Amino acid sequence: MRILVVSAMFPPNVLGGAEISAYNLTSWLLKQGHEIGVLMAAKAKDEEKFGEMVEGMKVWSLFMPRPYPIFKQGRDVSSLLKPLWHLQDHLDPRNATMVGRVLDEFKPDFCNVHYLTGIGHNALAEIGKRDIPMMYVMPDMTLSCLRATMFVDGKTCEAQCGPCKVSAAVKRRGVRAVRRIGFSSPSLANLEQNAKFQPLKQYPHAHILNANKYPKPTAPRPPSDTVRFIYAGRLHPSKGVDLLLSAAEQLRERWDFSFAVVGGGSEEGALRERFGHHDWVTFTGQVPLQEAIDRIGGSDMLCIPSVWLENSPGVVIQALGMSVPVMGSEVGGIPELVRHDENGLLVPPGDQEAWRSALELILKEPDRLKRYQNQAAARAGEFEQDYLGQRYLRFIDDIRRFPGADAAGAPYRPFDRSPTSNGDLAAARDTAALASPEQELAGPLSAPLRPRTKGRLHRWLAPVAGLVLAVCVLSRSYGTETRQVVVDPAVSVPVRTEPLIIGANVHYGLRRVLGYFTPEIALEAFKELEVDSFRDYFPWQSFVFESSGVRRVYSQRLVEFLNRTPLLPVLNLGFANAGVPGGVPPLSSEGLESFTAYVRAVEKLTARYKPIYEIWNEWNLYSGVGPMQPRLKGAGDPADPRASVHYIPVAKAAVQAIREADPDARILVGTVGEDRIGSRGEEREWEWTQAVVRGGIMEGATGLSVHLYNQCSPRRLRHADEMIRRVSLLQEELKKQRGGVETPIYITEFGWPTFRGGCGLELDTAGHNMAQFILLSAAIGWIKGIWVHSLKDVGPDPDDMEHHFGLFTYDNKPKPAVCFFREASRIVREADSIVVEQPFEDVFVAVARKGSGQKVILWTSSRFVEASYSFPDTSRIGQLMCGDEVNSRGGVAAALTPQPVIFNVAGNGPVAIDIVR
């Protein structure tokens, strides 16, 4: 395979570990027999290379158009030049032209992009034009942050600032330009953090450690009576070395130990001045790699006190590979390498007291070190270069087979959190056929500069975008706003007159089995979900009409299930019946008479179960005749059987028939499928529904049934609040025509499919939506009940959307949505009242009250919303729904996400919450 490695910094030009890792993987690929080209940045014009052979690799070293070389890293340059540098790095068309020439000359089969900053982020489009598959290796946050760290002023950024948003948008456009692209990172935390801002989950992605080959210590570890701690790495505020040495300083009077600080950086002078007078600490400054290895190998424990999102520190891998235990911050990728109390200790980042206690634990119990050393040795094989290199090759093969995000849909597959696999997402093979061969593009390296444009738009788009980027960088305008929500138990809130009914759809009534083979399947699932109700179809086709009367011949599975469950049934009555005259659908007097007889038969058969009856299913979408038709316009043309004028008499007749038999029966009408037409921004909504209500279907009915879906909407709108807004709009329109009277609404279908097509959602996202929808619905008194569609997937086809709406899989395994559905339902069920506030659009604060206790639940509508929260007066312990415990320190902002975070609040005093958007 002919592989082009793109890395602005590459040996001999080395500033950090990323370029060393790029060189190590490239050298390993060369040894495996692959033809290697390298595209890197040159320090000066006279150092350029154009396809020269260096160490068996064909090297292009190009002097890129910038105010200063990337190797200066912005040091000792005017602050006015930095925005210009980034502007050119993102948008200068010469970046693309120069990279395109290399691509045309080398004609790679595959591109490994390690370090694009300094080459030009707009160069990705050139790879995409040639349909060359590529792997984007992410050692840091470059895709999402101009600084590549999301760390500024001594703190980790909770959200993107203005300049980073603009930068990320440019980079996102480049990613979209490449059809077959995959992302790998040595840190799973880094993958997940970048995925908040970039569409990584729509593409192949893998967590693979750097395929480095580290030198071995030149001498064995000598014995010692004292514990020898060491820090090795860059001396920078983000590394937390000052905190580490301050913690150690507190212990020196009681314990004998030594501390070596290996490395240099911007903080070296200050650290030497602060701690250099102690005889227990040694500063070595920058040393050769072998000396650093020898010093780590001769120590008892490596300490990595980073306060930023470290990705996968090579020094930790080096230490563990030499059986040296590690004490590291529980942040970023460090916990992926260090297993607490097995091969080291994990300590909260930035907590000096916690670090002091951890150091003292080792000094009190030095025997722990031997156990940790043995555990570290047992994992050494995971860091072998050949093992990791082979994983990269498997992942490269996955990318080459990937048919493209448009064809395969999103997400590609969820992140693997398995501790045993170390996140090997590439192990599962994509079965799609290889895409068409790469284009053979001619064009000598010496071809004249000629930027490609299409019309006048492109001529001004780049400079305008660049101007915006430059202004953002210069002004550092973050554009955030803080609003405070006060939760005061002394303030009275509305209480629901009756509990929200929460249920799920099943399929025992249909003749098709759809995976519902036995009652136990749903009974066990409902037990895990803790629901109140179920909804199923009792079709018209299940009955035959004889001279002696109406007789049921199908739906035995539903009858058996009714006899086995105490849950409240919702029975949908309808479906066209070709077995009776005028039954497709019942428009004629003969068909309507037969339908009414069927309704009476169902009521008589099921009255003892006290069900809720529902009249027909999505009449406005399908008449029961032939293929699906285009959506109705408004109320519908009377010539169309689906028109509102045809449903009205059917609903009225059914309500009357049931009321005659049981005046107290609960009856739902409408059962409206998606009722909106028009392009986005100009939709006409709920016109058919308003027409049938005007026609009198609510007379004698208990409530209106509607179905809500948005899985094929733009991604930013595929969330619960969009549905709630839409049904609230319906309520407002109905109030206008019903004299201000609220209409009880039952949402008998809602849900999101988790399949790999374009309308599919990630498993976690569907779960978050589920919890949000339940909490939002509970806060609205006129929403009387909600039923998720559906309890389980109804088929195994990975490409069929209709198969994958379930909370459980087709083989009855719970998806993440099960937990979110259950936990949100518990909150609702246990509360006397639920109130939801929106301090900002798409940011929610729910308060669930029970006696004197309260739960405060916070979330954003989707991952596209950036917001944070803090409790200004005190620290609080909370819990991510279906997730980990969170510690909200007083006044310290924490990121809000679509995954609700829950805080229990006791007492009678008000609680203030600051929300930043």
Side-chain angles (χ1 to χ4, degrees), residues 1-24:
M1 183 164 41
R2 186 178 296 161
I3 301 173
L4 179 67
V5 176
V6 182
S7 184
M9 291 188 284
F10 195 86
N13 300 326
V14 174
L15 289 180
E19 47 270 33
I20 294 174
S21 297
Y23 176 80
N24 284 332

Side-chain angles (χ1 to χ4, degrees), residues 651-670:
K652 285 183 173 182
V655 170
Q656 182 180 348
I658 296 171
R659 281 274 172 259
E660 289 173 353
D662 182 0
D664 297 323
R666 287 182 282 183
I667 310 169
L668 306 182
V669 292

Side-chain angles (χ1 to χ4, degrees), residues 18 169 263 273 368 414 495 522-523 630 659 686 692 735 782 809 833:
E273 183 177 349
R368 284 176 175 265
V495 177
L523 291 172
R659 281 274 172 259
W686 301 115
V692 294
K735 285 170 69 175
W782 47 261
T809 64
S833 66

Side-chain angles (χ1 to χ4, degrees), residues 180-202:
R180 289 177 291 165
I181 185 172
F183 300 87
S184 77
S185 175
S187 165
L188 182 58
N190 185 48
L191 272 175
E192 294 181 320
Q193 186 72 358
N194 273 292
K196 294 177 181 178
F197 312 108
Q198 299 291 355
L200 307 191
K201 293 187 180 182
Q202 299 175 27

Side-chain angles (χ1 to χ4, degrees), residues 12-269:
N13 300 326
V14 174
L15 289 180
E19 47 270 33
I20 294 174
S21 297
Y23 176 80
N24 284 332
L25 176 59
T26 302
S27 299
W28 185 86
L29 290 168
L30 183 67
K31 291 176 183 177
Q32 309 310 305
H34 299 284
E35 185 179 351
I36 301 296
V38 176
L39 171 56
M40 56 188 288
K43 285 185 174 181
K45 189 71 175 175
D46 59 1
E47 292 184 12
E48 286 190 306
K49 294 182 175 68
F50 301 94
E52 296 178 20
M53 294 300 296
V54 180
E55 297 182 10
M57 309 174 194
K58 207 169 186 178
V59 175
W60 284 263
S61 181
L62 308 181
F63 187 66
M64 305 302 295
R66 302 288 187 277
Y68 52 85
I70 185 175
F71 309 95
K72 296 195 73 169
Q73 294 284 286
R75 291 188 292 268
D76 302 321
V77 298
S78 167
S79 60
L80 294 177
L81 290 180
K82 293 180 182 180
L84 178 59
W85 194 97
H86 285 290
L87 174 62
Q88 287 188 279
D89 200 50
H90 285 69
L91 298 169
D92 195 319
R94 290 173 291 179
N95 300 334
T97 301
M98 295 167 76
V99 171
R101 287 174 174 174
V102 176
L103 294 170
D104 291 343
E105 183 167 334
F106 187 61
K107 293 184 173 61
D109 303 310
F110 193 87
C111 288
N112 276 7
V113 175
H114 286 263
Y115 204 102
L116 202 54
T117 302
I119 295 292
H121 295 285
N122 55 338
L124 284 180
E126 296 301 308
I127 297 174
K129 287 176 184 177
R130 292 154 178 81
D131 198 23
I132 302 170
M134 64 163 279
M135 174 173 64
Y136 200 122
V137 181
M138 298 186 301
D140 52 30
M141 293 294 297
T142 297
L143 266 179
S144 307
C145 173
L146 283 166
R147 295 173 180 266
T149 60
M150 292 202 77
F151 185 88
V152 65
D153 297 332
K155 296 184 296 183
T156 297
C157 303
E158 297 294 343
Q160 286 179 314
C161 62
C164 289
K165 287 181 179 179
V166 177
S167 170
V170 174
K171 295 164 186 172
R172 191 178 306 120
R173 183 180 177 186
V175 167
R176 294 289 195 194
V178 184
R179 183 172 67 89
R180 289 177 291 165
I181 185 172
F183 300 87
S184 77
S185 175
S187 165
L188 182 58
N190 185 48
L191 272 175
E192 294 181 320
Q193 186 72 358
N194 273 292
K196 294 177 181 178
F197 312 108
Q198 299 291 355
L200 307 191
K201 293 187 180 182
Q202 299 175 27
Y203 301 89
H205 45 268
H207 165 215
I208 309 175
L209 297 178
N210 292 317
N212 291 331
K213 190 168 186 178
Y214 300 105
K216 302 294 183 184
T218 57
R221 182 183 299 119
S224 174
D225 294 329
T226 62
V227 176
R228 296 159 296 190
F229 295 106
I230 189 171
Y231 168 84
R234 190 162 52 98
L235 301 182
H236 183 271
S238 65
K239 299 296 185 177
V241 182
D242 181 89
L243 177 147
L244 172 66
L245 295 179
S246 296
E249 193 175 44
Q250 299 175 32
L251 301 171
R252 182 57 182 170
E253 291 183 4
R254 285 172 292 167
W255 301 98
D256 190 19
F257 60 89
S258 66
F259 233 113
V261 179
V262 179
S266 61
E267 209 176 27
E268 182 178 358

Side-chain angles (χ1 to χ4, degrees), residues 420-468:
T420 56
S421 70
N422 204 22
D424 187 1
L425 305 186
R429 279 293 190 270
D430 189 287
T431 57
L434 282 172
S436 57
E438 293 76 26
Q439 285 180 286
E440 293 292 321
L441 297 174
L445 192 62
S446 58
L449 292 177
R450 194 168 57 194
R452 300 178 175 92
T453 60
K454 291 185 179 180
R456 296 182 178 180
L457 175 66
H458 285 216
R459 293 173 186 156
W460 59 260
L461 180 61
V464 168
L467 179 61
V468 171

Side-chain angles (χ1 to χ4, degrees), residues 699-712:
E699 297 170 12
T702 307
L704 179 69
S705 166
V706 300
H707 295 171
L708 296 173
Y709 294 101
N710 61 14
Q711 70 274 2
C712 293

Side-chain angles (χ1 to χ4, degrees), residues 877-890:
I877 302 297
Q879 186 84 32
L880 282 170
M881 185 178 287
C882 302
D884 298 330
E885 184 178 271
V886 295
N887 185 359
S888 177
R889 298 173 185 170

